Structure formats: C-alpha cells, structure tokens
Amino acid sequence: MSIAVLGAGAFGTALAITIARGGTPVTLWARDAKHAAQMQATRENARRLAGVSLPQNVTVTAEIASIEAGIALLAVPMQQIAAFLAEHGARLAGKPIVACCKGVDLQSGFGPTATIAAACPTATPAVLTGPSFAIDIARGLPTALTLACGNEAEAQRLQAALSTDTLRLYRTTDTTGAELGGALKNVIAIACGVTIGAGLGESARAAVMTRGFAEMQRLSQQLGARPETLAGLSGFGDLALTCTSEKSRNFSFGLALGRGESFDAGKTVEGAATARAVARLAREAGAEMPITSVVAAVLEQKLTIREAVDALLSRPLKEE
C-alpha cells in the first residue's frame, strides 16, 4: 500500500524516510514548489534534515492533486490542520488520515482527530504521537510511538502498515488520552525550559515535571482519557524526553524565555498556542492547572517570569 506524507517539515520527512526504507512507496508533499523540486533533485531535505538521504522510493511533489495513496500522514502543525483540510480535505475522503502533530486548536479547542472528523466526516482519523525527535527517526535510531485510532480494526491495520524495523508503534483506541498527553507535555516543556533558563536549577525542573504531569493527568481524565494512556509513551514518555533535551523546540523556546533571549520565529512551537487553548479548556472544565495557567499568562505578557515563579511558589501548601 502506498503512503502519502503531507508536510515536508523535519518530522514528515523523517517519517517518509523510515517508512520508505522498509520498501513502501511514499509520496512526500511540500507546500513550496521550489523546495519540493530541490528535494526531489538532491534527495535531501537540506532545510530540515541535512545530511540524511531520501530513499529512491520517496517521491517529492508540490502537486497535491496528483497524490494517490491508501494512507495519508498529515504532518502539518496543529494550528494549520483546519485550514489545510478546508482546502484539501475532499481529496482525502474515505481514507485513514493520521495526524502527526501535537496540540489543541486555538480557535475550536479540538485536538487533531476531532479536527479531522469535522472537516472530513468519511475519513478515519488517527494520531501518531510519543517521544521522538525527527533526526533520530531519520537516522534509523530505535523509537517507540503511540498510534491512536478509535476504530480497533483500523488501528491494527495502520500499526502494521506504519511500523518499521526501527520505529515501533503501540496502538490504543484512546485518542483523547494520546492527544492530550502529546499536547500538554509541550506546555510543561516550555515551563521546564523557563525554569532552567531562569537559573532555578535541576531540582526545580524535576518539581515542574512532576507537578506538570499531575496537571496532565487531572485534565485528561476529566475529559475522558484513560489513566494508563497518560502513563505511557504519549504521556509520561513524551514528557520525559521533551522536558530534558534542547533538541525539543518547546523546551528550547522556554529556555530562551527564561534567559530573556530571542527565539527563531521560523521554528514551530506547538506548546505556545496549546498553552492558551488548554488554559481556556481548564477553566471551562473546572480543572486546576496552575503551571499551564502561568505559562499562558507569560506568553500573553500578563506576567513576567519573576511574577510567574512567585505565583507558583506562593500557592497554598497541600497534600500531594
């Protein structure tokens, strides 16, 4: 079965590379025609994954109308999914569409699968998420991810089609838990970056990670997620990776905030929009999420870093 990867950023390109290495034909769609032509000619995504070659069974194109595939991997940023599907969703009718992004839509409050379902009612929505860096996947380093799809039979089919020798997929039907784990950990990663950037120390980062995980569990379970999903790859696993490595854009973004430095505006930081969307969700659900709330307030310039730290440290003492 052929596979289309829609989005030629680092993660989309890495997925195309690893799946193609197993012998499956892959079409990689890039929005920019010049970029697509360059990748097709040079067999490399020099902008995002320099030094990693595209297998010969990866075809790069900017012509989405020419793409025919049994499975579509949607590798565009969360905040762009709705607009992308409004423009191209009709071409994906009836297909499984696997979102390869993490976040909550700022306008609708939907996660990836609900956004897909609203735009493409006949499609089968799924999400691929978990602890991973694109460069590791592209280089063939061992990586395990969560594949979430509400249809168990389709989840099994997608798991078999997308797993490779180095990319191991674990399936679940809990799309809510998988999506919220991936989205919320980005917000906590920003907070951890701020903690280290502001010089508060490793012990403080451990506290933020731990209390952040409690927030993730609190809201997710209130919205119907299963506890074991948050304890798995798409929750705790992704949190551990993203909060401890400067390869993480969300952590690096927080690091720059904490240091008072600028950050590359060309890099997508999913957690920035997600923090604002989740803070609103938490208020509506009546869920207590102090770390998420102060991250959102800092991003909206309602609090300084110092005021955010003071707000968290002055909270009432309580049982864990």
Side-chain angles (χ1 to χ4, degrees):
M1 176 182 293
S2 61
I3 292 172
V5 179
L6 306 173
F11 196 64
T13 303
L15 289 174
I17 289 170
T18 194
I19 292 168
R21 282 186 184 135
T24 302
V26 177
T27 302
L28 177 61
W29 175 81
R31 184 183 301 275
D32 185 318
K34 184 177 179 181
H35 187 208
Q38 183 183 54
M39 282 193 290
Q40 181 67 10
T42 64
R43 311 307 301 163
E44 181 183 5
N45 188 344
R47 293 185 188 177
R48 303 297 186 190
L49 284 175
V52 184
S53 298
L54 298 174
Q56 289 305 309
N57 54 336
V58 173
T59 301
V60 188
T61 182
E63 299 297 328
I64 199 167
S66 67
I67 295 176
E68 292 291 339
I71 299 172
L73 303 186
L74 189 52
V76 300
M78 181 64 227
Q79 302 308 318
Q80 297 177 20
I81 285 185
F84 177 91
L85 292 175
E87 183 177 357
H88 303 297
R91 302 184 187 281
L92 305 175
K95 298 181 184 297
I97 303 176
V98 184
C100 304
C101 60
K102 301 166 184 177
V104 176
D105 185 81
L106 194 52
Q107 299 303 316
S108 67
F110 289 167
T113 56
T115 303
I116 292 169
C120 303
T122 63
T124 301
V127 62
L128 185 64
T129 184
S132 58
F133 291 134
I135 190 62
D136 293 345
I137 293 174
R139 288 176 175 166
L141 299 178
T143 303
L145 298 177
T146 296
L147 175 71
C149 179
N151 182 317
E152 170 64 19
E154 192 66 14
Q156 291 184 26
R157 189 174 78 90
L158 290 170
Q159 181 185 36
L162 301 176
S163 294
T164 74
D165 290 344
T166 57
L167 182 63
R168 183 176 177 84
L169 305 186
Y170 289 81
R171 72 178 184 273
T172 179
T173 56
D174 183 12
T175 56
T176 298
E179 289 180 347
L180 286 173
L184 298 174
K185 62 88 189 176
N186 280 337
V187 180
I188 306 306
I190 292 175
C192 285
V194 169
T195 300
I196 297 300
L200 301 179
E202 299 286 352
S203 298
R205 171 165 56 182
V208 170
M209 286 178 64
T210 306
R211 297 311 304 161
F213 185 54
E215 288 190 16
M216 290 168 59
Q217 293 174 303
R218 191 179 304 130
L219 179 64
S220 297
Q221 290 178 42
Q222 194 159 333
L223 295 178
R226 299 199 292 263
E228 61 268 27
T229 306
L230 271 294
L233 290 165
S234 59
F236 176 75
D238 213 355
L239 179 75
L241 180 69
T242 311
C243 292
T244 57
S245 174
E246 291 189 35
K247 288 184 183 178
S248 162
R249 285 171 291 185
N250 291 280
F251 177 80
S252 295
F253 174 70
L255 197 65
L257 274 179
R259 291 172 175 168
E261 299 172 352
S262 60
F263 187 78
D264 185 354
K267 293 183 178 179
T268 300
V269 181
E270 296 276 31
T274 297
R276 300 194 294 274
V278 170
R280 186 174 66 224
L281 277 179
R283 288 194 297 270
E284 292 170 354
E288 188 180 26
M289 300 188 73
I291 296 173
T292 299
S293 296
V294 298
V295 169
V298 167
L299 295 175
E300 292 171 347
Q301 298 185 330
K302 294 178 180 177
L303 288 178
T304 65
I305 299 297
R306 183 68 259 171
E307 289 169 339
V309 171
D310 289 345
L312 290 174
L313 292 179
S314 62
R315 284 175 52 77
L317 297 176
K318 54 186 286 189
E319 283 188 338
E320 187 174 30

